[in-house]
Amino acid sequence: RKEVEQDPGPFNVPEGATVAFNCTYSNSASQSFFWYRQDCRKEPKLLMSVYSSGNEDGRFTAQLNRASQYISLLIRDSKLSDSATYLCVVKGSSASKIIFGSGTRLSIRP
Amino acid sequence: NAGVTQTPKFQVLKTGQSMTLQCAQDMNHNSMYWYRQDPGMGLRLIYYSASEGTTDKGEVPNGYNVSRLNKREFSLRLESAAPSQTSVYFCASTVGSGNTEAFFGQGTRLTVV
């Protein structure tokens, strides 16, 4: 079983829609959680960290449920520019090990 | 403002050839990583170095070796390249501890024929 699992999608939604991605992780000792965004043929870049209390950054909301070992990302009022692959990232129990999920591909249509 | 620099950006190898991918960061980060990404897949961790002088296996270490040359540099070596190692390779670095962002190089596109 992979340490970090994501719904691979693809998600194809109209502009203005709300879309949610989910991610589960297997190691209960994991310490830090992130969502990264990756555009086609580019390197991943940090979208947002995920905190236990949940956090919001503009149209993006991230949630963490440690009991269920579950992370989510909600995108409201989606824009064409949100089209990308979204990667769930978990910092493991051992010092500095960082594991990526396989990514969820999102396409926003006009 | 270089950040993480990888060389080369593109490489074609013949089966059985060897090569070293270079990575350097100028952010004084403690931890460095090598990942591979295959088409339609996420990143899989090959090796990482939590701090200068240490290296550890990741999810897919077979066929690779690494060297943490100093705090700035972390190289990945393919001793005998195989077609299954055709992939995009990313190097990354972080401060190391805590909830800190990983910064990535632009990737090396490697094809083994």
Side-chain angles (χ1 to χ4, degrees), chain B residues 36-44 84-89:
Chain B
R36 64 176 286 175
Q37 186 172 35
D38 300 307
M41 307 267 299
L43 281 73
R44 291 185 291 170
S84 60
Q85 294 179 305
T86 293
S87 191
V88 179
Y89 291 84

Side-chain angles (χ1 to χ4, degrees), chain A residues 62-80:
Chain A
Q63 299 277 354
L64 169 63
N65 184 322
R66 283 188 184 272
S68 301
Q69 296 178 202
Y70 171 96
I71 306 160
S72 65
L73 177 69
L74 183 78
I75 305 175
R76 291 183 301 278
D77 188 24
S78 53
K79 311 292 184 191
L80 294 174

